[in-house]
Amino acid sequence: TGSKLNSLAVKTGINAEYLNLLRREIESWFPKPHPLAEFSFLSAADAATLDRAGLSNTRQAYELLRDDQAMEECAAGTGLDAELLRRVACHCDLCRIQWTSPLFAEMLFAAKCDSAASVAQAEPDALHLALSELNKGNAYFKGSIGLRDIKRLVQAAFYTANYSC
């Protein structure tokens, strides 16, 4: 909060504006959850079924669906196909990576990256080429994706896969 930030600034002698900048940078490493309804492969009915089961966003779904037994229980309780739930789980894991939207998670998945760990292990040049080709064929984005951005993505995925809570 603003008052806690100002109190910290007074105690440490560090400029409050600088502390606020650091707070924003730290928060950017923990992406806000996206509604599951933003996944284009998920029908509105399936998204509503997941919502009724308490899974309305990527964080909630990732927490539950990363456990195989919980995924099977979710499939049994919702009537949704286990393979669909695995795909949701993969996309939710990808959305944990800084800067990764549901749309970009779909691109990564189409490029054979199904987890933050697989993005972290990707060779940036090859991933860049694969994503560029996918974008040409499917027009996910109007612009192009730069190699420098993919190198940053791979590094962010490494942090996500290895140091997340």
Side-chain angles (χ1 to χ4, degrees), residues 52-118:
R52 284 191 299 277
L55 303 174
S56 60
N57 67 49
T58 53
R59 183 172 296 145
Q60 293 166 335
Y62 172 76
E63 289 299 321
L64 178 70
L65 299 177
R66 66 182 172 171
D67 175 79
D68 286 338
Q69 182 178 349
M71 188 182 303
E72 301 231 354
E73 290 171 7
C74 184
T78 61
L80 295 175
D81 181 63
E83 278 308 306
L84 176 66
L85 293 177
R86 280 187 200 8
R87 187 171 178 189
V88 169
C90 291
H91 282 69
C92 290
D93 187 15
L94 292 166
C95 282
R96 294 181 320 122
I97 304 169
Q98 188 181 27
W99 311 297
T100 303
S101 67
L103 178 63
F104 198 65
E106 290 186 41
M107 282 185 73
L108 289 167
F109 190 79
K112 309 294 185 226
C113 292
D114 63 357
S115 66
S118 65

Side-chain angles (χ1 to χ4, degrees), residues 1-10 14-21 23:
T1 63
S3 62
K4 287 183 180 179
L5 190 118
N6 288 329
S7 175
L8 181 63
V10 169
I14 299 172
N15 180 290
E17 290 177 7
Y18 181 69
L19 288 174
N20 192 40
L21 180 68
R23 179 189 56 81

